[in-house]
Amino acid sequence: MQTKFGRLCIRAKCDTLHLYIGKESGRPPSGGPESDRRNMMIWNKKKDGTENPGAETPAAQTTKAPVLFLQKNWKWLVPVVCVVIAGGVFLLKPKKASTTAVDPSYMEASPEMRDVTNTLSGTGTLNPANTYTVKSLVEGKVLTGEFEEGDVLDEGSILYTLDSSDASTNFEKAEIAMQQAQRSYDKVVDRQYVRAEVDGTVSTLKVAKGDEVTSGQEVAIIRDSSKMLLTLEFPAADAANFSVGQTAQVTLDGTFEQLEGTVTSVTGTDALSTGNLLTRTVTIAVRNAGGLTTAQAATASINGVSSIGSATFGYQAERTLTAQAAGTVTSIHVQEGQTVAKDDILIELSGDDLTESIQSASETLRSAEISLQNLQDTMANYTVTSPISGTIIEKDAKVGDAVKSGDTLCVIYDLSYLEMVINVDELQIGALSVGQKVQLTADAVSDKTYVGTVTRVSMKGSSSGGTTTYPITIRIDDTDGLRPGMNANAEIVVAEANNALVVPNAAVIRGGYVLVSKKSPSAANAVEDMDAPEGYVYVKVETGVSDDSYTEIKSGLQEDDTVAYDTSSVSDDYYSDSIW
């Protein structure tokens, strides 16, 4: 008998009536009662499944009548059974079904439009943006610590001050030692130069370039003749009234030329001169226009009081310069008669001993500088400041405590944002990149979803059990209700397609092919060299985003197509629900 599902075959054997709903081929199953249970329905006349070929029991005799009835009347009962089965199928079949059974191993479905989102999920623990454990770098007593747990402090805020009295003493000693080393170095370095000790004129150079000199040897004479000094004796009684800066009239011997001078000094004590006369010595400076020499003699009068006798002029300043170290004259920077200023370098010296002395002094100075710097750094450690802006999580030291170097003082968290790290499988890591958005939920905060951002995708993975994972870092800026240490679930949208044409995942086979019915519009693009079940063809498709159930079809199918797929790729529950 021809039915909607194929050909109905009826086989009567003994006391059992077999009905078979088969394909259009018309071949009944050969296995009888042991055939596939999806295609066979067995109606057994017996109430139990055992047979006893021996003597009939009363119960058996009672059941023989219906059996005989069926054996005699099966021809007219068959149409009745068919009508009953057809009616049951019609009544139980859903009005609208997305899939239909086309073969014991294939399901049919129509492509549909829907949103598809491919997500990656993982779990991790929330951590603060930055954590810092503040430890003491020195030993001492805590003098101040005016903060409490939960306080929010800025970077650089003072946390503690420790007693630094001993360190201050050591620091002062180091300062003195460094200053001494600096002066010693300056003196040693200056020994390689001969400098002008006064302003004046180079009167004499006693060495030439290349000469070897010894320490203390005279090398030049500097004279200041811009002013000449005249030292005279005056009566003590009159000189007691003289003052420095007072004008004096100077008369040159021989020419009687008068020059104006200035009193530069007056002795404070009387002296007994020849003839038992009490006198005081007065020094007068006279500007030299160029004609005064040390051979010129002169007298002077101050406030009408004349000097006792005359005297010759002397230079305002005269210095004989000597080498401060032994060595070789390597350079002469002046000539005789040249005017120089105080501290000008006239001559340079060099030598092995001089170089070694300079090197030794330099090393001593550097050592003193390092010691001073170390103590200065140590002094700074007695004032403990916050290394970051954040919240005090733990306070381990209080005022009065004696702390040692390395002791923990407090712990600070930067809670401006939170971070979490999740491990991603090597097959999925390529789909992630910095900047991707992440949906997060926390077990401790119900009914709230947070948004995070991927800030780092590590290039270094770790392998375990043949699988490699890579850590990614997620930043959460809106942290209301979240705390460090909480467990969070992250879900990252790897790809998504809105209002896309999709088919069940099982419909797409390896290589990007889909099985469609020959009546489908897309069957016109069938792949000829691929064998397909009867009534179907394979078409090539371009796939896109997929989730746990559906795959986006970018090209190759239409919404009016009918696709088929292997039922072994779906659950039995899904299969049976789809049929009935």
Side-chain angles (χ1 to χ4, degrees):
M1 177 182 295
Q2 187 73 29
T3 69
K4 182 179 180 69
F5 295 96
R7 182 166 305 193
L8 176 64
C9 296
I10 304 175
R11 178 185 300 160
K13 184 178 179 181
C14 297
D15 57 353
T16 303
L17 179 65
H18 300 280
L19 292 92
Y20 167 73
I21 302 175
K23 288 185 177 179
E24 296 285 350
S25 62
R27 292 183 300 171
S30 59
E34 298 301 323
S35 296
D36 185 21
R37 294 183 182 277
R38 287 189 180 133
N39 300 317
M40 298 289 294
M41 292 188 300
I42 300 175
W43 179 31
N44 196 329
K45 297 186 297 178
K46 297 186 298 178
K47 293 185 179 179
D48 57 22
T50 60
E51 282 189 23
N52 187 355
E56 296 181 355
T57 62
Q61 292 176 355
T62 306
T63 57
K64 262 190 175 184
V67 172
L68 293 175
F69 176 80
L70 288 174
Q71 288 177 342
K72 293 178 179 181
N73 300 284
W74 66 270
K75 290 183 179 181
W76 65 268
L77 286 175
V78 168
V80 175
V81 172
C82 291
V83 171
V84 171
I85 293 174
V89 171
F90 177 79
L91 292 175
L92 295 177
K93 180 181 178 182
K95 295 181 179 180
K96 292 183 180 180
S98 59
T99 60
T100 59
V102 299
D103 187 89
S105 59
Y106 285 95
M107 299 282 292
E108 281 189 353
S110 296
E112 58 181 295
M113 305 300 293
R114 66 185 300 156
D115 296 339
V116 184
T117 303
N118 188 350
T119 60
L120 182 153
S121 60
T123 60
T125 303
L126 297 177
N127 297 305
N130 195 3
T131 302
Y132 202 96
T133 300
V134 180
K135 295 187 176 182
S136 176
L137 300 178
V138 293
E139 182 177 335
K141 182 179 179 180
V142 177
L143 299 180
T144 64
E146 306 300 328
F147 67 92
E148 298 298 335
E149 292 183 1
D151 289 353
V152 178
L153 302 177
D154 293 329
E155 180 180 353
S157 299
I158 295 178
L159 300 174
Y160 295 97
T161 56
L162 307 179
D163 184 10
S164 62
S165 54
D166 293 340
S168 297
T169 301
N170 293 333
F171 180 73
E172 290 178 8
K173 291 179 180 179
E175 277 187 317
I176 294 172
M178 198 277 289
Q179 293 169 359
Q180 291 174 341
Q182 183 68 60
R183 288 194 297 268
S184 177
Y185 173 77
D186 292 342
K187 287 181 180 179
V188 172
V189 170
D190 201 55
R191 288 171 59 189
Q192 64 185 323
Y193 305 115
V194 177
R195 298 177 182 271
E197 296 179 3
V198 294
D199 295 338
T201 302
V202 178
S203 174
T204 305
L205 284 174
K206 297 184 177 183
V207 295
K209 185 176 180 180
D211 288 352
E212 296 289 335
V213 298
T214 59
S215 178
Q217 180 179 331
E218 293 184 0
V219 294
I221 297 176
I222 302 293
R223 291 172 180 164
D224 182 4
S225 61
S226 61
K227 289 182 180 180
M228 302 297 285
L229 299 181
L230 184 62
T231 303
L232 299 170
E233 299 293 331
F234 282 85
D238 297 315
N241 298 318
F242 296 165
S243 60
V244 175
Q246 199 169 359
T247 301
Q249 299 297 322
V250 178
T251 302
L252 302 181
D253 288 355
T255 62
F256 299 103
E257 181 182 357
Q258 289 191 344
L259 302 174
E260 188 175 282
T262 302
V263 176
T264 58
S265 67
V266 179
T267 58
T269 58
D270 299 342
L272 187 62
S273 66
T274 305
N276 296 322
L277 181 64
L278 293 175
T279 62
R280 290 191 178 188
T281 302
V282 179
T283 302
I284 301 171
V286 179
R287 186 176 299 277
N288 185 9
L292 297 179
T293 65
T294 55
Q296 178 67 54
T299 59
S301 64
I302 301 172
N303 288 339
V305 178
S306 298
S307 61
I308 301 173
S310 63
T312 57
F313 285 99
Y315 296 110
Q316 179 175 252
E318 182 177 26
R319 297 290 188 276
T320 298
L321 306 180
T322 59
Q324 300 181 63
T328 302
V329 177
T330 57
S331 180
I332 298 177
H333 298 285
V334 296
Q335 298 176 347
E336 290 184 354
Q338 183 176 335
T339 301
V340 295
K342 184 180 180 180
D343 291 330
D344 283 352
I345 295 175
L346 308 183
I347 299 170
E348 288 189 32
L349 306 175
S350 66
D352 293 341
D353 292 343
L354 188 57
T355 301
E356 185 176 348
S357 297
I358 293 174
Q359 181 64 29
S360 178
S362 176
E363 293 171 353
T364 301
L365 175 60
R366 181 57 184 156
S367 178
E369 288 175 341
I370 293 173
S371 296
L372 180 63
Q373 184 62 51
N374 289 339
L375 286 172
Q376 189 171 8
D377 293 342
T378 300
M379 286 295 297
N381 293 333
Y382 283 89
T383 300
V384 182
T385 59
S386 177
I388 60 173
S389 297
T391 303
I392 302 296
I393 302 300
E394 295 179 12
K395 182 179 180 181
D396 299 298
K398 61 183 183 298
V399 175
D401 287 351
V403 297
K404 298 179 180 179
S405 178
D407 286 354
T408 297
L409 302 179
C410 63
V411 178
I412 303 174
Y413 280 2
D414 177 5
L415 300 177
S416 57
Y417 62 91
L418 295 178
E419 286 185 335
M420 68 177 293
V421 176
I422 63 173
N423 293 316
V424 179
D425 189 88
E426 59 185 320
L427 300 178
Q428 300 170 310
I429 193 66
L432 300 181
S433 61
V434 173
Q436 282 183 291
K437 296 300 181 182
V438 184
Q439 299 293 322
L440 299 110
T441 57
D443 297 339
V445 183
S446 59
D447 301 330
K448 187 167 184 178
T449 300
Y450 300 87
V451 178
T453 305
V454 176
T455 57
R456 183 173 179 267
V457 180
S458 177
M459 296 297 293
K460 182 179 180 181
S462 58
S463 298
S464 177
T467 302
T468 301
T469 59
Y470 294 83
I472 68 167
T473 303
I474 301 169
R475 170 171 171 163
I476 308 100
D477 289 309
D478 179 13
T479 60
D480 183 30
L482 299 178
R483 294 189 177 190
M486 287 184 176
N487 296 317
N489 308 305
E491 187 175 275
I492 305 173
V493 176
V494 176
E496 60 182 345
N498 296 322
N499 196 30
L501 184 66
V502 301
V503 296
N505 289 339
V508 183
I509 66 174
R510 185 182 299 274
Y513 297 95
V514 173
L515 188 67
V516 301
S517 68
K518 289 184 176 180
K519 296 180 181 181
S520 299
S522 296
N525 301 320
V527 179
E528 299 297 338
D529 57 352
M530 293 185 67
D531 294 333
E534 183 179 353
Y536 299 94
V537 294
Y538 282 105
V539 295
K540 179 69 174 177
V541 297
E542 180 187 357
T543 60
V545 181
S546 64
D547 58 19
D548 292 338
S549 302
Y550 295 94
T551 299
E552 176 192 11
I553 303 299
K554 291 185 175 181
S555 63
L557 290 181
Q558 300 179 25
E559 197 170 358
D560 295 335
D561 292 336
T562 299
V563 302
Y565 53 93
D566 189 354
T567 57
S568 62
S569 62
V570 297
S571 67
D572 291 341
D573 291 341
Y574 179 82
Y575 175 81
S576 60
D577 289 345
S578 298
I579 293 178
W580 306 112

